[in-house]
Amino acid sequence: MTKIAFIGLGNMGGPMAANLLKAGHLVTAFDLVQVALDEFVKLGGVAASSASEAVIGAEVVISMLPAGQHVAGLYLGDERRQDGLLKLLAKNSLVIDSSTIDAQTSRQVGAAAQKLGISFIDAPVSGGTAGAKAGTLSFIVGGEKDAFAQAQSILKAMGANIFHAGDVGSGQVAKMCNNMLLSVLMAGTAEALRMGMENGLDAEVLSDIMVKSSGRNWALEIYNPVPGVMEGTPASKDYQGGFMVDLMNKDLALALAAAKVSDSSVPMGQQASMLFKAHGEAGHGGLDFSSIYQHYANNKV
Ligand code: NAD
């Protein structure tokens, strides 16, 4: 049993913290939203009235927050007020930040933690809210080998696949690369299927041909974007559930910002970002990202 502080009980953090309780860990949590804390207490967790209170005696601190500024604010705090959480943590404790944020912030927090003798890993996840509930998330970890090893038993209580991408910040970079590729694959798949359909082909027949040919990819295999082609996919459920367009846009913005820093050429990522941005701005931000198919269906040249 490990004494864990969990900060951020949102759509992802709530079920992740619940799985830690199920695995027998002692979890004290804090969230700005009282209802989230009340739900957590019902499951057997302990609610704290602040992040500082949550970390008292904690061996491991996990955060699952919306964006980089929340993570920096939590751990580093205000420079003049010196109110960052890191200052309150015991030497040799472990910090796991599972939020999807920019790698620069992860590195900044990691360096500050290291100065205080605290281990830090960035461990963004893939698998969505369904994976968070089922405890089958993929963790993509950046950090030193020892810290990665130290985190194993905790991450296993919340996930099925745990990857070590490299140094601190690498987890974020790997996740950005994956999601940028995913956006390109999904848009390309929707584009090819729609063009085939507009030339008289049946979507199911064309999908079957391409999934067994060189156009084969994850979207065609298990996440077909055309309604009715594949049972159980978001496309066949009015694009409800799954991975929201708004979240894809968040990840693409992070990817493009990282590409700018490294001077990397990412024309496909830029193109996909433009498409998903327009789709979100047209009022579809809450739909699953495979709904990009609708963008093609609704925008004839
Ligand atoms: P969410 O908005 O549902 O939850 C965030 C929670 O953090 C909220 O409950 C909020 O009250 C709390 N919070 C914010 N600032 C806080 C602070 N200073 N102290 C304490 N609590 C604070 O978001 P989510 O969907 O759970 O996503 C969390 C992270 O996981 C994001 O970085 C997101 O990009 C990433 N992610 C989400 C999904 C998904 O499908 N939802 C999938 C993969 C990764």
Side-chain angles (χ1 to χ4, degrees), residues 223-246:
Y223 217 95
N224 197 296
V226 181
V229 169
M230 208 172 254
E231 245 179 73
T233 54
S236 296
K237 293 184 283 185
D238 291 327
Y239 298 106
Q240 299 301 310
F243 182 52
M244 280 195 299
V245 171
D246 280 346

Side-chain angles (χ1 to χ4, degrees), residues 118-142:
I118 297 161
S119 302
F120 175 87
I121 58 171
D122 53 306
V125 301
S126 154
T129 50
K133 281 190 195 114
T136 55
L137 289 170
S138 289
F139 284 91
I140 311 169
V141 178

Side-chain angles (χ1 to χ4, degrees), residues 7-14 16 30-33 36 51 64-68 70-71 73-74 98-101 124-130 137 175 179 242-244 247 250-251 254:
I7 316 294
L9 297 173
N11 292 324
M12 295 294 288
M16 287 165 71
F30 175 66
D31 194 289
L32 300 173
V33 176
M64 193 55 170
L65 299 174
H70 305 105
V71 175
L74 178 73
S98 278
S99 325
T100 299
I101 63 170
V125 301
S126 154
T129 50
L137 289 170
K175 180 174 173 179
N179 282 13
F243 182 52
M244 280 195 299
L247 282 171
K250 175 195 165 182
D251 291 357
L254 287 170

Side-chain angles (χ1 to χ4, degrees), residues 242-277:
F243 182 52
M244 280 195 299
V245 171
D246 280 346
L247 282 171
M248 179 55 95
N249 277 323
K250 175 195 165 182
D251 291 357
L252 282 169
L254 287 170
L256 295 190
K260 206 167 176 187
V261 172
S262 56
D263 255 337
S264 306
S265 168
V266 288
M268 303 294 283
Q270 277 167 338
Q271 195 65 35
S273 171
M274 268 161 49
L275 281 171
F276 279 97
K277 208 163 162 234

